[in-house]
Every structure is written in structure tokens, then in C-alpha cells.
Amino acid sequence: MKGTACYSKTERNFASDFIENLEPYSPISSRDKIVSGLANCDLPPLKLDWNESTLPPSVAVKNAIINALACNDNLLNWYPELSSKELRRKLAAYSGRAMEEILVTNGSDDALDLICKVFLDPKDEVVVPYPTYTHFLTYIHTRGAVVKKVETPDPFKPDIASVLENVTPATKMIYIVNPNNPTGVLLSKQQIATLCSIASHCVVIVDEAYYEFAGETVLDLIDTYPNLIVTRTFSKAWALAGLRVGYLLTNLSLIAQLSKVLNPKSVSVLAQIAATAALDDKQYMEKYVTDVRNSKIAMLDFFRKRGLTAFDSKANYIMVQHPRLPKLLEEMEKENIFVRDRSSFKMLPGFFRVTLGDHLQTEDFLARMDKVLDRV
Ligand SMILES: Cc1ncc(COP(=O)(O)O)c(C=O)c1O
């Protein structure tokens, strides 16, 4: 072709400018190490790095999947029920909202991505209190929007004033994780209401991934604030991280916009069956949440007695500070314990985040930790 030279003039990798400049989200999980057997195999692994449930889903959930596979020949070759109607009906009963106010997504990550796709234009400003769940930043950048990180003076104190100080007429969206990951801090409903009211020109996302552990929600503010969207997940208290189910709740007007882009077949058949069965077996989740709360008391007490700083949290994890963190993490791995190093956040020097399990796992964890701390 005559014009070949002009095609080869710039070496393109075909990515959009936003993606080309995107800093990739680089998840660090112990899963591969554990599964590949690289970890110390004498002791059962304690995977406490991603705030997943430390227990499998209930027998009722497993049976629902097995029975559905046994009873329906076309279960897997057909696409799933569009828009997860049955699951949305159950979620309506669980959340006390109408099913029309709910969209089910492929994990709550997918809900966050959808919200960014629908409400952000290039160069829009998004206010994000920091430190927080950083994967969300990728979705903002993918849209070519701009992140305005707000580092509050004390990351372990609920602080709405610092957030509001950074909201300007150019702000399009605010992302609040409540309770926050990794700090475990919970903003009150009144604080969220203030935010929605003052920042009425912004979409306010309240990410309630850890709602079941906190036991507090801002859902009813949807009736008052037309700019509020709440996201939730089945990956934590419901023990279904591997199946990828999340959902969002908001008013009908925003649902109409979001529905234009939502892929109605993105939640798999098995994921819908499992999440529906989990909601039918709510006591199992509730017992686990109670266990986790008790574990938190034991863990905080243990670390504090060992002279370490450990912060209380409204979620299924706590943050602990250690003066020799790299050495500590190395020694923990020798005991087959995996936690999340959070010290790369400027405001969290020497901190690791540890997911809480049930009482037996906590006893086991504390016994191993006792030995580790004696060595470090
Ligand atoms: C605050 C927060 N939001 C969302 C997610 C993603 O959850 P999902 O598995 O539903 O995509 C996580 C996962 O760790 C999280 O901590």
C-alpha cells in the first residue's frame, strides 16, 4: 500500500490513551503460593489476606448447586436468567428495598466499574478519601477521569470534614467505603447524609462490601438523596468470593441510566443459584458474623497485650502495627499465615491487615502468632 510509511510512523500499541497511561492494579494474593504447595505444608494455611470468608459456604448452598446441576440438563448450555430476577426478589426482601432498585453484578467490582462507565466523562474529578480500596481507582482512570485523593489527618478517625473541604464544583463523584478497607472505620449515617446533601451535584457511592459485619447501612438515605448509590457483595460474609456476585441499590432514575449499560447475562447461573440459596440460609451467615466479632475481641486483646498497636474495626479485619514488619511477615509465612502488608500506604507505616476467622481459626492463629512474636 502506498501510504504504508505513514502507518508505521508512530508505533502504536492500540490501547486508548487512558489505558496506555494507566497504572495497572496489581493484586497480591497468597492464593497461588498456597495452592501450588510452595507454602509450608505441615500446618494448614491461614489465608487472612483478602478479607474473604474463612469458612466455605453452607451445606444448603452447596446442595442447591449440586441439585440444580442434577435436575436441569440445560443449566449450563443456556444463558442465565437475565437480570437475575429471582435473586433480586430475594435481595429485595433481605434489604427492605424494591427489586426495581437493585441491579445484580459480577461481583461488586463490576458494579463499581459500571457506575464509572455510566457517570464519568474524561477529566471529571472523583474525590476518594485515602487510604481505601484501590481497585476502584482503576475504573476511574479507565474513563479518563481524575482521582483527587484526600488523606485525612488521622486515617483511623471517621472524618467527613476533610472530604467536604476537597469537594469543588468540578467534583463529579465521591467514593466512600463504609466501613473502610483497610482501616475498618465506619462513617455514621448522619455523616453520609451530610455529604450527600452538601455534595448534591456529585454521585456519592457508598461501598458496603463489609455491611454484614458492621450491621449498619445507609440504604434508607436513597429515599432522600437522589445522588446516592450503595454497592454490596456476596464475597465476604456470604462466603461466595469465588462465584463473583455483587449488587447495587439506588433510585429508579439512576437505575434507568445504569441499566442501559449493564450486561444482563454477566452473573453466571451457578452464582445466581448459590447467592439465592445463601439468602435462604441467612442464619449460617449470621453465626459466622457473630464468630468474627468475637474473634476480633480476642485478637485485639492479644496484640495489645503483646505491646502492639491494633485498631478496632467495624469489618472482618483489623489493622496491626509492628516495628519490624518485613521480618514479621516472613516469620508468619513460615507458620503458614498470610496477611496483607498495608505499609505501602504512606499513612500506615508498619501496618498489616489481618482477616478475622471463626473461633477455632482464631485460637490456631493466636497460638502460631505467639511463637512468631517471640522470634521477631
Ligand atoms: C471495599 C471493597 N469493595 C469491593 C470489593 C470487591 O468485591 P467483589 O468480590 O464483590 O468484587 C472489595 C474486595 O476486597 C472491597 O474490599
Side-chain angles (χ1 to χ4, degrees), residues 115-122 124 126 140 143 145 172-173:
I115 295 166
C116 288
K117 276 184 191 146
V118 170
F119 297 108
L120 292 181
D121 286 311
D124 277 346
V126 183
I140 302 173
R143 296 293 306 151
K172 184 75 187 290
M173 185 180 277

Side-chain angles (χ1 to χ4, degrees), residues 331-350:
E331 290 298 321
M332 282 166 95
E333 285 205 18
K334 287 187 192 157
E335 295 287 325
N336 233 348
I337 300 174
F338 300 90
V339 295
R340 189 79 192 268
D341 181 351
R342 295 284 61 184
S343 62
S344 59
F345 286 113
K346 195 174 82 210
M347 309 185 76
L348 300 174

Side-chain angles (χ1 to χ4, degrees), residues 50-51 106-110 112 133 175 177 181 207 209-210 232-236 244-246:
W50 272 37
N51 306 334
N106 192 260
S108 60
D109 276 340
D110 204 31
L112 297 171
Y133 177 57
Y175 176 62
V177 178
N181 174 9
D207 181 335
Y210 301 95
R232 290 193 184 162
T233 183
F234 279 84
S235 297
K236 311 297 178 183
R244 316 299 302 123
V245 197

Side-chain angles (χ1 to χ4, degrees), residues 246-264:
Y247 57 107
L248 65 81
L249 304 106
T250 187
N251 60 70
L252 298 185
S253 158
L254 298 194
I255 288 280
Q257 300 300 329
L258 290 156
S259 300
K260 291 181 192 168
V261 182
L262 176 80
N263 179 352

Side-chain angles (χ1 to χ4, degrees), residues 275-294:
T276 307
L279 287 167
D280 281 339
D281 191 16
K282 204 171 107 186
Q283 313 82 273
Y284 180 82
M285 178 277 285
E286 286 167 344
K287 183 182 174 312
Y288 180 65
V289 166
T290 305
D291 251 19
V292 163
R293 289 199 186 128
N294 291 333

